[in-house]
Amino acid sequence: MPLFGLDLSAMPKERKLSELEMMEPRRWWQREVTLHWQAQCIYIALTFCRMTLLLGPPGCGKTSLLKALSGNLDQSLKLTGEISYNGYKLEEFIPQKTSAYISQNDVHIPDMTVREILDFSARCQGVGSRAEVMMEIGKREKEAGIVPDPDIDTYMKAISVEGLKTTLQTDYILKILGLDICADTLIDYRGDDYATVLVSLLQPAPETFDLFDDLILISGGKIVYHGPRDHVLEYFEDCGFRCPERKGVADFVQEVISRKDQAQYWHQAEVPYSYVSVDMFSRKFKESPYGKKLDEELSEPYDKSQSHQNALSFSPYSLSKWELFRACASRELLLMKRNSFIYIFKTTQLIIIACITMTVLSPVVLLFAMHLSSISMFRFLASVFQTNNASMTAASFALLFLLLFGGFVINKASMPVWLKWAFWVSPMTYGEIGLSVNEFLAPRWQKMLSTNTTIGRETLENRGLNFNGYLYWISLGALFGFAIVFNIGYILALSFLKSPGSSRAIISHEKLSKIQGSEDSHHGAHVDKKSRNSPPQTNMEPNKGRMVLPFTPLTVVFQEVQYYVDTPLEMRERGFANKKLQLLSDITGALRPGVLTALMGVSGAGKTTLLDVLAGRKTGGYIEGQTKIGGYPKVQETFARISGYCEQTDIHSPQITVEESVIFSAWLRLSPEIDSKTKAEFVDEVLETIELDEIKDALVGIPGVSGLSTEQRKRLTIAVELVANPSVIFMDEPTTGLDARAAAIVMRAVKNVADTGRTIVCTVHQPSIDILNHLMS
């Protein structure tokens, strides 16, 4: 974030320092934060000119912490403690405008170019106090005898001009971010712009990790380390854990706080290893010099008089409402030009329909009003229900209501008295009335019948629309009224309804008590003493073979397996003579119980094809060769009952929890003779084996939007198949799309399944060293 909104990165070093010293003391942009969050005390101090990396495992609270610091946390969540910017509490200024929270989801208008989006953003934000700042800078430069660089001085004055639709600042941002040629964003955007930067990353590369100045390590909603990045290894060595030479520091600090990975980094041979929990790490940090220094910084009150009046934003808007309206109107006109075909087509459609009805002006106006009220209604529904699925459901119900009670399906005369209100609240009704009376009361329909009535009146009477001509104008006014009401509702919904946030976890009572640290607060000292005197506890894996439900270990043997498909027509046209195309040739092997076997090969080698042939999932083609299960020829109908298949895509219901997903699969696939208690115990065993027991109450969510991470979804897919109690499990590329650490976690869960005595075979593409160490065959 530029100082006062001014970009100083291009200035000479001596100029930047002198102006900074003149305008503000050293702690200009310091954010002092003391946050009591999720019943756990979090103390953070962020200083200007430094980039801080926020690290932690998925679900530890990184996003919630960032939202809390930036004032974007959901109002329904309880937040206690104090967050201050330059000594000002969040309630005393507008944190959403002072700081910038950049979500992991990139939401932009697809019909606008990058330059147009940045220009619109700059126009909405305005120049702020840049004009005043330029006057102040000029005054102090004269007093200090500083001669500004001509190019930089011109640039700073250019970005201080109000009312520009395109700005020089947009060109500058496009250039420094590499967007002028649609290149990737440059990574080395560091503290030279005098900003306070806090970035949350899941698994940064070593090159990215080295760009940061400070590090905050968080787990379970607690701070494990907060200090200089280059001192973190020294801190953990004092705790008894050493990072291997070729190990990335970011991977090490996340694995050392994990129960499953911690033991391998213990280096004090004279002291037996015992698991160091997150609570113990948190207490050790508070007792360390880094924690004590942080307490000293936070205990020193910040003098508000040292903060410049323009350092914080005290108004939610930078421009007047009229200027904001003009900016939004210009954007909408631009979007209409980009989608001009749709508007031209709809206008032409309305004119053609009006011409068909033999008159032009009146039907066109009425159809336009009908169209306006319809799109206003659907826009209003979308703003209220917000999500795509909910909006589509509401729109379908509204469309059904309009057609059913608008006089088309059921005419007014056939409706009971208690249902006639639905006829009058439907916008479709007024469109039908207006068109009908305008057409059938025209002179060409005034021929008298033997019943002493005109043809037009008789037609209107049969459809229950026998209204006078003035109803046309009432219908027209009603349609415009509906459009106004729906648009007012649309504006109110956008103003007061918050956008749907991320999915919330359903916390059980035992997990809530664990989070609150009730047991830890009573027995903290006792745990420390016990951990120092306890014997080594290096075996943290689930007990091998420990399963509630028994199963029969089976060996899969396949010999000279051949697989053919019909030769595609394109290959035959190019001269390929054979009628069959062979994909697998003389494949022989064996899969043993308790052994994790991987099928490896380059892309297109036939890994997935062989896996599908062995699993019996190939419905086409020709299979030759022998496949035996436990010494007997394979019969697909019975083999399907004792085998499981984990597909490469993870498809789960987003609105249920992890435990509910596994329970649903268990109740559908386990034998009905098994009692409910045994099924529940088996579900718990499966969750523990796949290491999902700690997140069993988390909602699955939508991939890439909310809920579980990709690695957690992959483990849930394995759990859903394992809960069917199969003897043989096939897995199609369980590590595809995962980073190195996530892939290692998934393979560790797969290894746990193999340790139960089941036959496991999976396809693996480009495995890392950690994954290869898990493989047995």
Side-chain angles (χ1 to χ4, degrees):
M1 184 180 296
L3 180 63
F4 286 148
L6 294 177
D7 200 316
L8 308 177
S9 61
M11 290 186 180
K13 277 288 183 182
E14 60 272 9
R15 176 188 167 106
K16 284 191 288 188
L17 293 178
S18 61
E19 287 185 351
L20 194 64
E21 291 172 356
M22 286 190 299
M23 291 186 180
E24 195 61 31
R26 178 178 175 274
R27 296 174 64 189
W28 173 270
W29 277 107
Q30 178 168 335
R31 266 75 161 144
E32 295 186 354
V33 179
T34 303
L35 173 62
H36 187 75
W37 174 66
Q38 289 187 357
Q40 329 234 355
C41 291
I42 294 182
Y43 302 94
I44 298 175
L46 304 179
T47 310
F48 79 105
C49 300
R50 298 184 69 84
M51 285 182 62
T52 304
L53 174 62
L54 180 61
L55 273 183
C60 67
K62 300 188 295 295
T63 301
S64 298
L65 178 58
L66 289 177
K67 288 184 176 181
L69 297 180
S70 60
N72 290 279
L73 197 63
D74 194 335
Q75 298 297 325
S76 62
L77 300 179
K78 181 180 180 182
L79 178 67
T80 58
E82 181 178 305
I83 304 175
S84 61
Y85 284 48
N86 287 2
Y88 288 86
K89 297 182 180 180
L90 288 185
E91 300 80 11
E92 300 175 351
F93 65 102
I94 308 298
Q96 296 85 353
K97 197 166 182 298
T98 302
S99 62
Y101 172 73
I102 302 176
S103 173
Q104 57 183 329
N105 301 319
D106 303 317
V107 182
H108 302 289
I109 299 177
D111 295 328
M112 297 178 66
T113 64
V114 176
R115 179 183 299 276
E116 290 166 348
I117 291 176
L118 292 179
D119 280 334
F120 175 73
S121 177
R123 188 176 179 186
C124 287
Q125 297 181 36
V127 298
S129 57
R130 292 196 188 106
E132 301 174 7
V133 172
M134 285 301 302
M135 295 176 61
E136 184 71 17
I137 290 178
K139 177 182 177 182
R140 298 192 182 189
E141 282 178 342
K142 292 180 180 179
E143 294 176 356
I146 297 177
V147 179
D149 183 271
D151 296 334
I152 298 177
D153 188 63
T154 303
Y155 170 77
M156 295 175 65
K157 291 179 179 178
I159 65 174
S160 302
V161 180
E162 298 183 359
L164 297 180
K165 295 184 178 180
T166 59
T167 64
L168 182 62
Q169 193 175 16
T170 297
D171 297 331
Y172 176 69
I173 294 175
L174 288 172
K175 190 65 177 178
I176 65 172
L177 295 182
L179 295 175
D180 55 337
I181 56 173
C182 297
D184 294 333
T185 301
L186 297 179
I187 295 177
D188 55 351
Y189 181 70
R190 299 207 54 181
D192 290 339
D193 281 339
Y194 287 86
T196 302
V197 182
L198 178 61
V199 181
S200 171
L201 296 177
L202 184 60
Q203 188 187 20
E207 297 82 4
T208 306
F209 182 80
D210 293 339
L211 293 174
F212 290 88
D213 303 302
D214 298 325
L215 173 66
I216 297 177
L217 184 60
I218 184 174
S219 179
K222 296 184 178 181
I223 296 295
V224 177
Y225 174 80
H226 178 15
R229 170 191 53 81
D230 48 1
H231 292 175
V232 64
L233 295 182
E234 177 184 351
Y235 167 75
F236 278 105
E237 281 198 17
D238 294 339
C239 297
F241 300 93
R242 178 176 296 170
C243 178
E245 292 184 0
R246 301 185 62 183
K247 186 74 174 181
V249 179
D251 295 337
F252 164 73
V253 296
Q254 293 190 80
E255 292 179 3
V256 78
I257 59 177
S258 170
R259 176 183 291 270
K260 303 293 182 180
D261 302 314
Q262 188 183 93
Q264 59 182 313
Y265 300 114
W266 182 258
H267 76 96
Q268 296 182 359
E270 67 279 1
V271 180
Y273 165 74
S274 61
Y275 171 64
V276 181
S277 65
V278 173
D279 295 334
M280 298 170 65
F281 270 126
S282 180
R283 288 196 298 270
K284 288 182 179 181
F285 169 72
K286 294 178 181 179
E287 298 170 358
S288 67
Y290 306 103
K292 294 179 180 179
K293 181 180 178 181
L294 180 61
D295 289 338
E296 293 177 359
E297 293 181 1
L298 294 176
S299 61
E300 180 183 355
Y302 187 86
D303 187 3
K304 293 183 179 180
S305 60
Q306 297 181 358
S307 177
H308 195 279
Q309 60 180 357
N310 294 317
L312 304 177
S313 297
F314 296 91
S315 175
Y317 303 107
S318 300
L319 302 176
S320 63
K321 294 183 178 180
W322 172 246
E323 291 295 331
L324 290 175
F325 174 78
R326 290 181 58 190
C328 293
S330 63
R331 184 191 64 176
E332 293 303 316
L333 290 175
L334 175 63
L335 294 176
M336 291 178 66
K337 292 179 181 179
R338 292 281 160 80
N339 299 279
S340 58
F341 172 78
I342 298 178
Y343 293 94
I344 295 174
F345 176 80
K346 296 297 293 184
T347 303
T348 305
Q349 183 186 36
L350 292 175
I351 294 175
I352 293 175
I353 294 176
C355 292
I356 293 176
T357 58
M358 305 304 292
T359 57
V360 179
L361 182 58
S362 298
V364 165
V365 176
L366 194 68
L367 290 174
F368 173 78
M370 186 66 196
H371 174 71
L372 181 62
S373 62
S374 298
I375 61 175
S376 300
M377 181 189 68
F378 290 120
R379 187 187 295 117
F380 167 70
L381 292 176
S383 65
V384 172
F385 292 93
Q386 299 180 338
T387 63
N388 184 56
N389 292 334
S391 299
M392 291 296 293
T393 303
S396 301
F397 179 79
L399 193 59
L400 176 64
F401 178 86
L402 296 181
L403 295 177
L404 189 62
F405 300 107
F408 287 96
V409 179
I410 306 176
N411 58 43
K412 180 176 177 294
S414 302
M415 292 182 183
V417 177
W418 57 271
L419 198 58
K420 290 187 183 294
W421 63 268
F423 176 80
W424 293 109
V425 299
S426 173
M428 192 77 70
T429 297
Y430 298 94
E432 183 187 24
I433 292 176
L435 288 175
S436 299
V437 299
N438 181 74
E439 173 64 23
F440 292 103
L441 295 183
R444 59 182 175 274
W445 293 93
Q446 299 306 310
K447 184 178 180 180
M448 299 297 295
L449 298 175
S450 58
T451 56
N452 199 23
T453 183
T454 62
I455 298 178
R457 283 291 181 181
E458 184 70 19
T459 304
L460 293 175
E461 182 68 29
N462 292 336
R463 293 300 304 170
L465 299 174
N466 191 12
F467 299 103
N468 295 324
Y470 64 86
L471 258 296
Y472 168 83
W473 301 105
I474 295 179
S475 300
L476 187 63
L479 290 175
F480 281 112
F482 274 116
I484 294 174
V485 170
F486 286 136
N487 278 288
I488 292 176
Y490 169 70
I491 295 173
L492 295 177
L494 291 182
S495 301
F496 297 103
L497 295 182
K498 300 298 181 181
S499 59
S502 58
S503 59
R504 301 284 181 242
I506 303 175
I507 304 298
S508 58
H509 290 288
E510 57 270 16
K511 187 171 183 178
L512 179 61
S513 61
K514 181 180 178 180
I515 292 177
Q516 292 176 340
S518 56
E519 297 180 358
D520 181 70
S521 61
H522 291 294
H523 307 288
H526 177 68
V527 170
D528 276 349
K529 181 178 180 180
K530 182 179 179 181
S531 63
R532 290 192 294 266
N533 300 328
S534 61
Q537 302 175 4
T538 58
N539 185 18
M540 295 297 176
E541 299 179 356
N543 296 333
K544 293 185 177 182
R546 180 168 62 93
M547 279 292 171
V548 174
L549 296 180
F551 66 94
T552 303
L554 297 174
T555 301
V556 180
V557 178
F558 47 97
Q559 184 176 4
E560 297 181 355
V561 174
Q562 322 278 344
Y563 180 65
Y564 304 87
V565 294
D566 294 329
T567 302
L569 179 61
E570 293 81 2
M571 296 185 63
R572 292 201 300 265
E573 291 176 350
R574 294 179 181 178
F576 191 82
N578 297 334
K579 295 183 179 180
K580 296 180 180 179
L581 180 63
Q582 187 172 9
L583 300 183
L584 298 178
S585 177
D586 298 329
I587 305 296
T588 300
L591 309 175
R592 295 172 295 168
V595 177
L596 175 56
T597 304
L599 301 179
M600 296 176 56
V602 298
S603 299
K607 303 185 296 295
T608 303
T609 302
L610 176 59
L611 194 74
D612 291 342
V613 168
L614 296 178
R617 295 175 66 89
K618 286 295 184 183
T619 58
Y622 310 93
I623 301 175
E624 299 177 1
Q626 294 183 352
T627 303
K628 295 185 178 181
I629 309 299
Y632 296 92
K634 186 182 76 169
V635 179
Q636 185 60 35
E637 288 74 13
T638 57
F639 181 68
R641 301 292 299 173
I642 60 169
S643 64
Y645 190 96
C646 299
E647 295 184 356
Q648 187 173 348
T649 56
D650 307 311
I651 302 176
H652 303 286
S653 299
Q655 300 301 330
I656 61 178
T657 65
V658 171
E659 185 178 27
E660 292 167 347
S661 300
V662 180
I663 290 176
F664 180 71
S665 178
W667 254 249
L668 286 179
R669 305 177 68 178
L670 291 177
S671 173
E673 285 79 15
I674 302 176
D675 60 275
S676 301
K677 181 180 179 181
T678 305
K679 290 181 180 179
E681 293 178 355
F682 185 62
V683 167
D684 293 337
E685 291 282 359
V686 169
L687 292 174
E688 181 182 355
T689 302
I690 309 300
E691 302 177 11
L692 291 173
D693 49 334
E694 294 186 358
I695 60 170
K696 64 180 182 179
D697 299 318
L699 292 178
V700 174
I702 302 174
V705 178
S706 61
L708 304 181
S709 63
T710 306
E711 163 258 319
Q712 292 170 339
R713 293 177 188 277
K714 189 69 65 176
R715 285 191 284 148
L716 178 58
T717 300
I718 300 173
V720 168
E721 290 297 320
L722 180 60
V723 81
N725 199 27
S727 299
V728 183
I729 300 181
F730 301 92
M731 301 181 185
D732 185 15
E733 298 194 13
T735 60
T736 298
L738 303 178
D739 53 51
R741 169 159 172 76
I745 294 175
V746 171
M747 292 306 298
R748 187 177 65 202
V750 175
K751 180 65 168 54
N752 293 341
V753 178
D755 290 340
T756 63
R758 289 174 168 80
T759 302
I760 308 296
V761 57
C762 60
T763 59
V764 180
H765 187 66
Q766 293 182 341
S768 62
I769 297 178
D770 294 334
I771 294 178
L772 288 174
N773 293 334
H774 287 294
L775 301 177
M776 302 177 183
S777 176

Short mmCIF file of all heavy atoms in Angstrom, two decimals, residues 16 40 67 89 91 147 169 325 408 477 505 521 527 565 583 595 608 614 617 650 677 680 692 700 751 764:
data_model
loop_
_atom_site.label_atom_id
_atom_site.label_comp_id
_atom_site.label_asym_id
_atom_site.label_seq_id
_atom_site.Cartn_x
_atom_site.Cartn_y
_atom_site.Cartn_z
N LYS A 16 13.37 9.14 -0.45
CA LYS A 16 12.32 8.43 0.27
C LYS A 16 12.53 8.55 1.77
O LYS A 16 11.62 8.82 2.53
CB LYS A 16 12.31 6.95 -0.15
CG LYS A 16 11.69 6.71 -1.51
CD LYS A 16 11.46 5.25 -1.77
CE LYS A 16 12.75 4.54 -2.02
NZ LYS A 16 12.56 3.15 -2.46
N GLN A 40 -8.69 -18.31 22.47
CA GLN A 40 -7.26 -18.47 22.59
C GLN A 40 -6.64 -17.09 22.40
O GLN A 40 -7.05 -16.33 21.54
CB GLN A 40 -6.73 -19.42 21.53
CG GLN A 40 -7.74 -20.47 21.14
CD GLN A 40 -7.18 -21.86 21.25
OE1 GLN A 40 -6.03 -22.01 21.53
NE2 GLN A 40 -7.97 -22.86 21.04
N LYS A 67 -9.13 -12.07 8.20
CA LYS A 67 -10.39 -11.33 8.16
C LYS A 67 -10.61 -10.53 9.43
O LYS A 67 -11.14 -9.41 9.40
CB LYS A 67 -11.56 -12.30 7.95
CG LYS A 67 -11.62 -12.89 6.55
CD LYS A 67 -12.84 -13.76 6.38
CE LYS A 67 -12.96 -14.27 4.95
NZ LYS A 67 -14.18 -15.12 4.76
N LYS A 89 -8.65 1.88 17.65
CA LYS A 89 -9.38 0.63 17.63
C LYS A 89 -10.20 0.53 16.34
O LYS A 89 -10.44 1.53 15.67
CB LYS A 89 -10.29 0.53 18.85
CG LYS A 89 -9.54 0.50 20.18
CD LYS A 89 -10.50 0.35 21.35
CE LYS A 89 -9.75 0.32 22.67
NZ LYS A 89 -10.67 0.18 23.83
N GLU A 91 -13.26 0.16 15.89
CA GLU A 91 -14.51 0.89 15.91
C GLU A 91 -14.32 2.38 15.64
O GLU A 91 -15.29 3.09 15.36
CB GLU A 91 -15.21 0.72 17.26
CG GLU A 91 -15.57 -0.72 17.61
CD GLU A 91 -14.39 -1.49 18.16
OE1 GLU A 91 -13.35 -0.84 18.46
OE2 GLU A 91 -14.48 -2.73 18.26
N VAL A 147 15.42 19.16 -4.02
CA VAL A 147 15.03 19.34 -5.41
C VAL A 147 14.50 18.01 -5.92
O VAL A 147 15.27 17.06 -6.05
CB VAL A 147 16.20 19.83 -6.28
CG1 VAL A 147 15.76 19.99 -7.73
CG2 VAL A 147 16.76 21.13 -5.73
N GLN A 169 -1.69 6.05 -13.03
CA GLN A 169 -1.43 5.04 -12.01
C GLN A 169 -1.81 3.64 -12.51
O GLN A 169 -1.17 2.66 -12.16
CB GLN A 169 -2.22 5.38 -10.74
CG GLN A 169 -1.77 4.57 -9.53
CD GLN A 169 -2.48 5.03 -8.28
OE1 GLN A 169 -3.49 5.71 -8.35
NE2 GLN A 169 -1.94 4.67 -7.13
N PHE A 325 -22.10 7.11 -8.62
CA PHE A 325 -23.16 6.74 -9.57
C PHE A 325 -22.66 6.90 -11.00
O PHE A 325 -22.93 6.05 -11.86
CB PHE A 325 -24.39 7.62 -9.32
CG PHE A 325 -25.47 7.43 -10.35
CD1 PHE A 325 -26.31 6.32 -10.29
CD2 PHE A 325 -25.65 8.36 -11.37
CE1 PHE A 325 -27.31 6.14 -11.23
CE2 PHE A 325 -26.65 8.18 -12.32
CZ PHE A 325 -27.48 7.06 -12.25
N PHE A 408 -52.79 -18.05 -17.65
CA PHE A 408 -52.55 -18.90 -18.81
C PHE A 408 -53.00 -20.34 -18.54
O PHE A 408 -53.82 -20.90 -19.27
CB PHE A 408 -51.06 -18.89 -19.18
CG PHE A 408 -50.61 -17.60 -19.81
CD1 PHE A 408 -50.02 -16.60 -19.05
CD2 PHE A 408 -50.79 -17.37 -21.16
CE1 PHE A 408 -49.62 -15.42 -19.61
CE2 PHE A 408 -50.39 -16.19 -21.74
CZ PHE A 408 -49.80 -15.20 -20.97
N GLY A 477 -48.94 0.67 -15.96
CA GLY A 477 -48.43 1.26 -14.73
C GLY A 477 -48.04 0.22 -13.70
O GLY A 477 -47.06 0.37 -12.97
N ALA A 505 -17.92 -25.07 10.42
CA ALA A 505 -17.79 -26.41 10.98
C ALA A 505 -18.79 -26.61 12.10
O ALA A 505 -19.14 -25.69 12.83
CB ALA A 505 -16.37 -26.63 11.50
N SER A 521 -5.60 -26.08 30.77
CA SER A 521 -5.40 -25.05 31.78
C SER A 521 -5.25 -25.64 33.18
O SER A 521 -4.56 -25.10 34.02
CB SER A 521 -6.58 -24.07 31.75
OG SER A 521 -7.79 -24.74 32.04
N VAL A 527 1.43 -31.73 32.65
CA VAL A 527 1.75 -32.31 31.34
C VAL A 527 3.19 -32.05 30.97
O VAL A 527 3.89 -32.93 30.45
CB VAL A 527 0.80 -31.75 30.26
CG1 VAL A 527 1.26 -32.15 28.87
CG2 VAL A 527 -0.61 -32.25 30.49
N VAL A 565 -9.26 -52.85 -27.93
CA VAL A 565 -10.44 -52.06 -28.26
C VAL A 565 -10.57 -52.03 -29.78
O VAL A 565 -9.59 -52.31 -30.51
CB VAL A 565 -10.34 -50.62 -27.71
CG1 VAL A 565 -10.34 -50.60 -26.20
CG2 VAL A 565 -9.11 -49.91 -28.27
N LEU A 583 -4.08 -52.33 -26.19
CA LEU A 583 -3.63 -51.33 -25.21
C LEU A 583 -2.78 -51.95 -24.11
O LEU A 583 -1.91 -51.28 -23.55
CB LEU A 583 -4.84 -50.62 -24.60
CG LEU A 583 -5.74 -49.87 -25.58
CD1 LEU A 583 -6.86 -49.16 -24.82
CD2 LEU A 583 -4.96 -48.88 -26.42
N VAL A 595 0.48 -54.96 1.43
CA VAL A 595 1.55 -54.36 0.62
C VAL A 595 0.96 -53.26 -0.24
O VAL A 595 -0.03 -53.46 -0.93
CB VAL A 595 2.24 -55.42 -0.27
CG1 VAL A 595 3.29 -54.77 -1.16
CG2 VAL A 595 2.87 -56.51 0.59
N THR A 608 -3.91 -46.35 -15.80
CA THR A 608 -5.33 -46.36 -15.47
C THR A 608 -6.07 -47.47 -16.19
O THR A 608 -7.00 -48.08 -15.64
CB THR A 608 -5.95 -44.99 -15.80
OG1 THR A 608 -5.25 -43.96 -15.09
CG2 THR A 608 -7.41 -44.95 -15.43
N LEU A 614 -8.23 -54.63 -14.01
CA LEU A 614 -8.16 -55.46 -12.80
C LEU A 614 -9.38 -55.25 -11.90
O LEU A 614 -9.86 -56.20 -11.27
CB LEU A 614 -6.88 -55.15 -12.03
CG LEU A 614 -5.56 -55.48 -12.74
CD1 LEU A 614 -4.38 -55.07 -11.86
CD2 LEU A 614 -5.48 -56.96 -13.09
N ARG A 617 -13.83 -52.54 -14.24
CA ARG A 617 -14.61 -51.35 -14.56
C ARG A 617 -14.64 -51.05 -16.05
O ARG A 617 -15.21 -50.05 -16.45
CB ARG A 617 -14.05 -50.14 -13.80
CG ARG A 617 -14.21 -50.26 -12.30
CD ARG A 617 -13.52 -49.09 -11.59
NE ARG A 617 -14.14 -47.82 -11.87
CZ ARG A 617 -15.14 -47.29 -11.17
NH1 ARG A 617 -15.63 -47.96 -10.14
NH2 ARG A 617 -15.63 -46.12 -11.48
N ASP A 650 -12.93 -36.24 -6.90
CA ASP A 650 -13.53 -36.35 -5.56
C ASP A 650 -14.90 -35.70 -5.59
O ASP A 650 -15.03 -34.48 -5.60
CB ASP A 650 -12.63 -35.67 -4.52
CG ASP A 650 -11.20 -36.19 -4.58
OD1 ASP A 650 -11.03 -37.41 -4.59
OD2 ASP A 650 -10.26 -35.36 -4.63
N LYS A 677 -24.35 -49.97 16.53
CA LYS A 677 -23.20 -49.65 17.38
C LYS A 677 -21.90 -50.06 16.73
O LYS A 677 -20.91 -49.32 16.73
CB LYS A 677 -23.37 -50.33 18.74
CG LYS A 677 -22.23 -50.04 19.71
CD LYS A 677 -22.45 -50.74 21.04
CE LYS A 677 -21.29 -50.46 21.99
NZ LYS A 677 -21.48 -51.16 23.30
N ALA A 680 -21.06 -47.69 13.91
CA ALA A 680 -20.53 -46.42 14.41
C ALA A 680 -19.07 -46.57 14.85
O ALA A 680 -18.23 -45.70 14.59
CB ALA A 680 -21.39 -45.90 15.56
N LEU A 692 -8.74 -38.50 9.63
CA LEU A 692 -9.80 -37.50 9.46
C LEU A 692 -10.56 -37.25 10.76
O LEU A 692 -11.53 -36.49 10.76
CB LEU A 692 -10.79 -37.95 8.38
CG LEU A 692 -10.29 -37.97 6.94
CD1 LEU A 692 -11.34 -38.59 6.03
CD2 LEU A 692 -9.94 -36.58 6.46
N VAL A 700 -17.99 -30.42 4.20
CA VAL A 700 -17.21 -30.76 3.01
C VAL A 700 -17.04 -29.53 2.13
O VAL A 700 -15.94 -29.22 1.67
CB VAL A 700 -17.90 -31.91 2.23
CG1 VAL A 700 -17.17 -32.18 0.92
CG2 VAL A 700 -17.94 -33.17 3.08
N LYS A 751 -0.92 -45.65 3.29
CA LYS A 751 -0.06 -46.62 3.98
C LYS A 751 -0.74 -47.16 5.24
O LYS A 751 -0.61 -48.37 5.56
CB LYS A 751 1.26 -45.95 4.35
CG LYS A 751 2.25 -46.83 5.08
CD LYS A 751 2.73 -47.96 4.20
CE LYS A 751 3.94 -48.64 4.84
NZ LYS A 751 3.74 -49.09 6.22
N VAL A 764 0.46 -43.87 -9.70
CA VAL A 764 1.18 -42.70 -9.21
C VAL A 764 1.93 -42.08 -10.37
O VAL A 764 2.60 -42.79 -11.14
CB VAL A 764 2.16 -43.06 -8.07
CG1 VAL A 764 2.90 -41.82 -7.59
CG2 VAL A 764 1.43 -43.71 -6.92
#
